[in-house]
Amino acid sequence: GAIISGMINYQNWDRNPEEIQFKKNGTDEIEIFTPTDIKHFVVKHEKYISTRVSINQSPTQIDALEYGALPKLQSKTVFLETLVEGDKPLYHFKDAEERVNFFIVIDGVFKLLEYKKYLKDQRGRKYIATNKRFLEQLKYYLSDCSINDKILDGVNYKKNELVTVFVQYYDCTNRDKSLIKEVEKSKVQLS
């Protein structure tokens, strides 16, 4: 496929964009590209790839939690943000409802790292439980690092913590990594 250079209306996105506005140069008409139009784009220090993945659509607000540990999945073509690029990549997706999803790639297939807060009953009382299957998935994914149990101990389903795990993994294995996303401590909107 052809590579086009130009200008993207960069919004320092907190949520993954559903489309991008593009101009070849300042006087051109704005073109709109969605994930079905282009394979990937790079802007500033960020790289997004378009692919079809199973997104976790389970509610995350405490008062909207549902019963059942399994994520409610929906297949969608989206722009995934590249957090780590290399032999063992890591991708991120946050939707308009602030739901966060992380993905790894096994044998060319994008796999959702599973995490879900859900309701459970015990002795007639309702409480909140957490499906943290992502820790088992990462243990398998990063199994060629002998210290991965220690690295994964107490890790939460958060961008900065998962990127830190991958930095330690790449340091441990000396594998090649071509991109590690600097995760902002807090979002500052620059104009």
Side-chain angles (χ1 to χ4, degrees):
I3 294 173
I4 348 173
S5 295
M7 298 182 291
I8 288 172
N9 181 2
Y10 174 62
Q11 303 284 328
N12 193 27
W13 297 287
D14 178 42
R15 301 170 188 143
N16 293 46
E18 291 176 19
E19 61 180 36
I20 55 163
Q21 296 176 348
F22 175 84
K23 284 181 177 188
K24 275 193 180 153
N25 61 56
T27 56
D28 281 356
E29 292 274 299
I30 290 175
E31 290 180 78
I32 303 289
F33 291 123
T34 68
T36 55
D37 300 321
I38 55 176
K39 284 190 177 154
H40 62 83
F41 70 90
V42 179
V43 59
K44 297 277 186 183
H45 50 286
E46 295 180 7
K47 181 174 184 176
Y48 288 83
I49 65 160
S50 59
T51 189
R52 193 158 190 85
V53 284
S54 291
I55 302 286
N56 182 2
Q57 298 281 283
S58 307
T60 56
Q61 304 294 338
I62 300 287
D63 55 358
L65 293 182
E66 52 195 20
Y67 286 91
L70 290 178
K72 192 187 282 180
L73 301 178
Q74 182 189 2
S75 182
K76 269 176 112 172
T77 301
V78 297
F79 286 128
L80 291 184
E81 180 189 16
T82 307
L83 295 181
V84 178
E85 201 171 48
D87 293 344
K88 300 279 174 100
L90 175 68
Y91 298 94
H92 165 258
F93 179 78
K94 187 198 260 191
D95 68 12
E97 279 78 45
E98 305 275 323
R99 288 180 293 231
V100 172
N101 291 251
F102 295 98
F103 296 88
I104 54 177
V105 179
I106 297 175
D107 297 329
V109 178
F110 285 81
K111 300 274 188 196
L112 171 70
L113 289 177
E114 275 185 38
Y115 174 85
K116 182 187 175 185
K117 281 194 185 310
Y118 62 100
L119 294 177
K120 216 170 173 183
D121 283 333
Q122 195 170 44
R123 299 193 192 101
R125 297 190 64 180
K126 200 183 332 188
Y127 73 99
I128 296 169
T130 310
N131 168 356
K132 292 187 176 181
R133 183 162 174 259
F134 77 96
L135 292 171
E136 289 304 314
Q137 291 172 283
L138 285 176
K139 200 176 282 190
Y140 171 75
Y141 190 53
L142 308 177
S143 60
D144 49 339
C145 173
S146 57
I147 59 167
N148 89 24
D149 278 3
K150 205 164 70 182
I151 289 174
L152 289 169
D153 191 38
V155 165
N156 293 302
Y157 200 75
K158 291 185 175 167
K159 201 192 265 195
N160 57 347
E161 294 191 32
L162 290 177
V163 167
T164 300
V165 164
F166 277 75
V167 169
Q168 291 179 285
Y169 166 79
Y170 277 97
D171 287 347
C172 164
T173 58
N174 292 319
R175 282 171 171 265
D176 285 340
K177 60 181 182 296
S178 52
L179 182 148
I180 296 278
K181 169 90 163 85
E182 286 287 323
V183 179
E184 298 174 41
K185 292 290 180 273
S186 61
K187 273 282 171 190
V188 179
Q189 203 64 42
L190 303 172
S191 57

